[in-house]
Amino acid sequence: MASTPPVDSASSTAFDFTDAQRSDQFQRLRKTHRSFVFPMAIAFLVWYLLYVVLAIYAPDFMSQRVFGNVNLGLLLGLLQFVTTFGITAAYVSFANRKLDPQATALREHLEASGAGRGEA
């Protein structure tokens, strides 16, 4: 079993990444990410909980037939899946347009400054 060599604090990459995390560039990336993820997560949770609450407390409403043997509860349940795929597609588009360029710029800056390789 190989042992891990001791880390010299002068060449530790943890310090470099801590500085990178505190940088304006990283904070902008984090704020951009959170500006999409938090509202979308809250919206989806509200939508999901609404479905559950309706199923529990409004069974007559949920059992209304829409066509044939398909009722409102079934349609709303299937829309949960559609919503999930829609959110995923929206996030991929958002990440490609907003997050990836910022992350690439941050990574290039870190690589240029020697962060992650123990260089200062």
Side-chain angles (χ1 to χ4, degrees):
M1 185 168 156
S3 64
T4 307
V7 177
D8 177 20
S9 62
S11 66
S12 172
T13 59
F15 181 78
D16 296 331
F17 286 112
T18 301
D19 283 350
Q21 187 177 13
R22 291 183 185 136
S23 72
D24 289 338
Q25 227 176 354
F26 183 83
Q27 294 303 319
R28 256 190 324 276
L29 175 62
R30 192 165 103 175
K31 182 178 179 182
T32 304
H33 177 260
R34 288 179 175 183
S35 73
F36 180 89
V37 171
F38 286 153
M40 193 63 69
I42 290 167
F44 182 77
L45 286 174
V46 167
W47 160 229
Y48 175 73
L49 290 175
L50 175 67
Y51 174 74
V52 171
V53 167
L54 286 173
I56 293 170
Y57 295 107
D60 293 336
F61 174 74
M62 296 292 271
S63 64
Q64 290 181 15
R65 290 186 187 263
V66 178
F67 56 88
N69 288 331
V70 178
N71 62 25
L72 194 55
L74 179 62
L75 284 180
L76 292 177
L78 291 173
L79 280 175
Q80 294 286 322
F81 291 101
V82 173
T83 304
T84 301
F85 290 120
I87 289 171
T88 302
Y91 180 77
V92 168
S93 174
F94 177 80
N96 287 338
R97 284 182 296 109
K98 303 280 185 172
L99 298 178
D100 290 350
Q102 290 182 40
T104 299
L106 180 59
R107 186 191 72 238
E108 289 171 353
H109 174 75
L110 291 173
E111 288 173 351
S113 68
R117 292 179 286 182
E119 299 171 11

